[in-house]
Amino acid sequence: TEELVRKSEKLEIVSHLAASMSHEVRNPLTTARGFMQLLSENTSMQNGKQYLEIAIQEIDRATEIINHYLTFAKPAPVMVEKVDVLEVIQSIIQIITPLSNMNAVQISFTFNKQKDYSILGERSKLQQGIINILKNGIEAMPNGGKLQLSLLSNESNVQIDIQDTGIGMTRHQLNRLGEPYFSTKEQDKGTGLGMMVAFSIVKGMNGLIEVTSEVGKGTCFSIQFPVYQQAEVPLSSS
Ligand code: ADP
Ligand code: MG
């Protein structure tokens, strides 16, 4: 599991990019395919030439998107869907429980069933960011401990608190948190990329992270996102 998790962290920057790109490229390709299928079903179709032109245009658009990504390596905006944070955290706990069990870490989660915890963002990225934070928490408790998650919300924010009873961080370490390749772990145990990725994902969803830590006591991550507004229209990918 350890090796698997570490490898996936190194890959996540690449997969970030790949996911954004494939998402954008899928639209024009689907359109082009649709028109070509229409034509193949009826070769003597009246609007045949026009359909072919649209298909060519859409394929060109897909090429343009790919070129754009390869040139600027710029990730797509992450404000794309309504995300139920409660549901995301419940599924993350399922994913991470084998790792926490192996490390004698007890996970607890508190939330209010009556409340809505929706935000605007991208589900898979949010999941990746939170997993990175939870993994660090588990790794900070080599002799086991408690990982407490809680979900809060009010009219303006949805807040995720993640508290561990681990080794904590010095002020200096806290300041460097999120710097690429900053890691206090043995060379083959840490990449120093997990927090950078988590911070950039949260920022991309208009969120804020606050970290408090005490050496020997533990660390608390507090992540705040603006609540989802009914009137918000998720950005389309075209
Ligand atoms: P890595 O986990 O690969 O070292 P990260 O970017 O995930 O890289 O974390 C960077 C560093 O921040 C860690 O090496 C560790 O020193 C510190 N850190 C992060 N989270 C915690 C935590 N919950 N408790 C103690 N230290 C932490
Ligand atoms: Mg890490």
Side-chain angles (χ1 to χ4, degrees), residues 90-205:
Q90 283 171 328
S91 91
I92 290 173
I93 290 174
Q94 282 204 319
I95 294 170
I96 206 120
T97 293
L99 185 69
S100 67
N101 284 342
M102 258 187 345
N103 290 277
V105 168
Q106 251 189 308
I107 298 183
S108 68
F109 179 33
T110 56
F111 60 93
N112 183 341
K113 257 196 273 182
Q114 251 66 265
K115 289 211 164 181
D116 182 42
Y117 300 102
S118 299
I119 64 168
L120 186 64
E122 194 173 329
R123 190 187 190 285
S124 61
K125 283 181 183 166
L126 179 65
Q127 176 165 319
Q128 184 64 67
I130 295 175
I131 284 177
N132 291 358
I133 293 171
L134 295 184
K135 258 187 70 229
N136 282 341
I138 292 170
E139 287 164 359
M141 300 184 278
N143 302 313
K146 287 187 175 133
L147 194 57
Q148 250 176 295
L149 282 82
S150 43
L151 200 46
L152 307 149
S153 82
N154 58 29
E155 328 62 76
S156 44
N157 291 307
V158 171
Q159 185 174 325
I160 309 162
D161 286 346
I162 299 165
Q163 169 99 55
D164 68 57
T165 57
I167 55 175
M169 278 176 271
T170 63
R171 176 157 291 281
H172 175 70
Q173 288 168 349
L174 204 53
N175 282 337
R176 295 197 59 188
L177 196 67
E179 229 175 72
Y181 306 111
F182 165 66
S183 176
T184 56
K185 292 164 193 172
E186 287 170 53
Q187 195 153 36
D188 61 334
K189 288 209 165 158
T191 59
L193 293 174
M195 286 309 303
M196 183 199 70
V197 168
F199 281 11
S200 91
I201 288 171
V202 170
K203 194 172 161 214
M205 297 185 197

